[in-house]
Amino acid sequence: VCECAPHFGGHILSKSLAAAGIHTTVINDSAAFAIMARVNKVLLPAHAVLANGGLIAPSGSNMVALAAKQNSVPVVSITGMFKLCPMYPHEGQDTLNDLVSPSSVVDYGEMSDPVMSKVEFINPVHDYIPPQLISLYVTNIGGFQPSYIYRLLDEYYHSDDWESFE
């Protein structure tokens, strides 16, 4: 389990898994590529699943998905049908991201240092993961390949529901 800095959600997940009797190893986020050769599959949560099959996931997930592709490890996203979104990523991943305060990355007290005050800190909330890096979406109604997501949107949502996205 990656530790998911700076909020350390991986620590919470690993405690839950350990409490359920599942052997768990927590690694530093930057060690994902180094450990990927020993991994069977990557499980990623979804903030949203876009119409092209792309995934909006917690920051750092794109790095893990790229490492998985390099090592031929399947990437599976666990999501509910309510997270399907009719949007397409037209202008790249920067348009799909929110930036939050860098206070979880750097202490404001350090900013009084003249050198540190010249450093720009960016703290993104999410990553966009293109569909070619995702092997499978597991939803509450079954498993689907990214190329089938647009059909799910058509089957489960009426086109009038999409008007707010246009």
Side-chain angles (χ1 to χ4, degrees):
V1 177
C2 288
E3 66 180 355
C4 301
H7 304 293
F8 301 105
H11 291 198
I12 297 166
L13 175 62
S14 63
K15 285 179 187 176
S16 298
L17 292 172
I22 299 170
H23 176 71
T24 307
T25 303
V26 178
I27 63 166
N28 188 296
D29 294 334
S30 61
F33 189 85
I35 203 79
M36 193 59 69
R38 298 176 53 194
V39 173
N40 295 346
K41 71 179 68 70
V42 172
L43 300 176
L44 292 177
H47 178 72
V49 179
L50 302 182
N52 71 334
L55 175 67
I56 304 295
S59 183
S61 299
N62 192 41
M63 174 191 70
V64 173
L66 287 167
K69 180 177 176 119
Q70 183 69 29
N71 287 279
S72 300
V73 174
V75 176
V76 178
S77 178
I78 312 298
T79 185
M81 291 297 291
F82 66 95
K83 293 197 176 188
L84 294 183
C85 175
M87 291 178 57
Y88 285 88
H90 294 295
E91 298 176 27
Q93 73 180 31
D94 291 339
T95 60
L96 302 169
N97 212 340
D98 294 324
L99 299 176
V100 294
S101 169
S103 64
S104 60
V105 179
V106 64
D107 184 26
Y108 282 123
E110 294 179 37
M111 297 308 291
S112 61
D113 180 0
V115 175
M116 290 296 285
S117 66
K118 296 178 183 174
V119 176
E120 181 182 9
F121 291 93
I122 298 174
N123 191 9
V125 178
H126 302 106
D127 273 348
Y128 169 69
I129 302 170
Q132 59 267 24
L133 297 180
I134 305 293
S135 305
L136 185 69
Y137 285 104
V138 176
T139 71
N140 49 315
I141 61 167
F144 303 97
Q145 291 187 342
S147 60
Y148 193 72
I149 295 298
Y150 80 97
R151 291 284 301 147
L152 287 175
L153 281 165
D154 190 45
E155 289 175 17
Y156 286 91
Y157 296 98
H158 193 274
S159 59
D160 290 345
D161 296 335
W162 296 14
E163 287 180 6
S164 62
F165 291 100
E166 295 176 354

